[in-house]
Amino acid sequence: MKIFLVRHAEGKSTGLNWQTPKTALSERGVKQAEILASRLSKFKVIDLILTSGWTRAQQTAEIVGKIINKPINIVEEIHERQQSSKIYGLSRASQLAEQYWSSLIKNRNDWNYKWDNEEESPAELIKRTISFKENLIKNYSQKSVLVVSHESFLSGLVTTCVLDNKFNNNYFKNLFRSIAIENTGLSLLIYREEQKTWKLWYLNDYSHLSSL
């Protein structure tokens, strides 16, 4: 089984405002997705696309799916880490946003930490990646799948596949934190059914954006 991982293309107001589940692609993001689609059209091995239902991921998947002519399924459990409604859409330069970020940094070693009750903790995010990994093995073992999701979820999925499900140890936490994925960055995980092992073939390849 081959699992191609893609982070969504650039959303509107990236770096200026906290993105929301409904943040759409920017003009640059649309171009990024089109360039990615052109690259993926040469692969000839992708059977279907699984995408987060959040707008920027779904729009990325739709652009790619139209060009490579593959079916798209929305999978609700592969969205970005759920954050507080008080944060979504907030200017990153605001006092509340700065307080929020400072609180996340201060509590970064507590994987059960939530800023408020609306939030999802890092541990809850990782549990979703474990569930999705098991879903892939159970339902797509003979397929080549393109997964369009978000940086935190994809980083967690890669870490879960490489280091298994023991997410409370420091090795897991350090690897998870060290992974960075650019918009439309492409990664490949391969699952060896006979050995029950995952191989990380490559990570965060965004060379297709060199001309943008």
Side-chain angles (χ1 to χ4, degrees), residues 174-209:
N174 290 338
L175 178 58
F176 173 73
R177 290 172 181 152
S178 71
I179 295 174
I181 304 175
E182 292 287 332
N183 292 120
T184 71
L186 181 65
S187 307
L188 174 60
L189 285 164
I190 296 179
Y191 183 67
R192 303 293 192 191
E193 176 66 32
E194 65 281 2
Q195 301 169 345
K196 308 296 183 187
T197 58
W198 291 87
K199 299 290 185 181
L200 178 60
W201 221 248
Y202 52 84
L203 179 68
N204 190 32
D205 178 0
Y206 56 98
S207 57
H208 50 274
L209 297 182

Side-chain angles (χ1 to χ4, degrees), residues 33-86:
E34 291 171 345
I35 293 170
L36 170 68
S38 177
R39 177 182 184 182
L40 292 175
S41 68
K42 300 178 177 66
F43 280 28
K44 309 298 183 184
V45 295
I46 296 171
D47 296 306
L48 76 159
I49 301 170
L50 303 180
T51 182
S52 157
W54 288 21
T55 302
R56 55 194 181 275
Q58 191 172 340
Q59 287 180 333
T60 302
E62 288 169 351
I63 291 170
V64 171
K66 182 177 181 179
I67 292 178
I68 71 173
N69 193 30
K70 297 298 178 181
I72 300 171
N73 295 331
I74 296 174
V75 182
E76 294 299 339
E77 71 175 341
I78 66 174
H79 59 77
E80 183 60 285
R81 186 178 73 84
Q82 189 74 38
Q83 295 174 293
S84 171
S85 62
K86 300 180 182 69

Side-chain angles (χ1 to χ4, degrees), residues 143-158:
K143 300 289 186 179
S144 292
V145 181
L146 176 66
V147 176
V148 183
S149 184
H150 308 261
E151 185 175 31
S152 292
F153 185 87
L154 294 176
S155 297
L157 180 61
V158 169

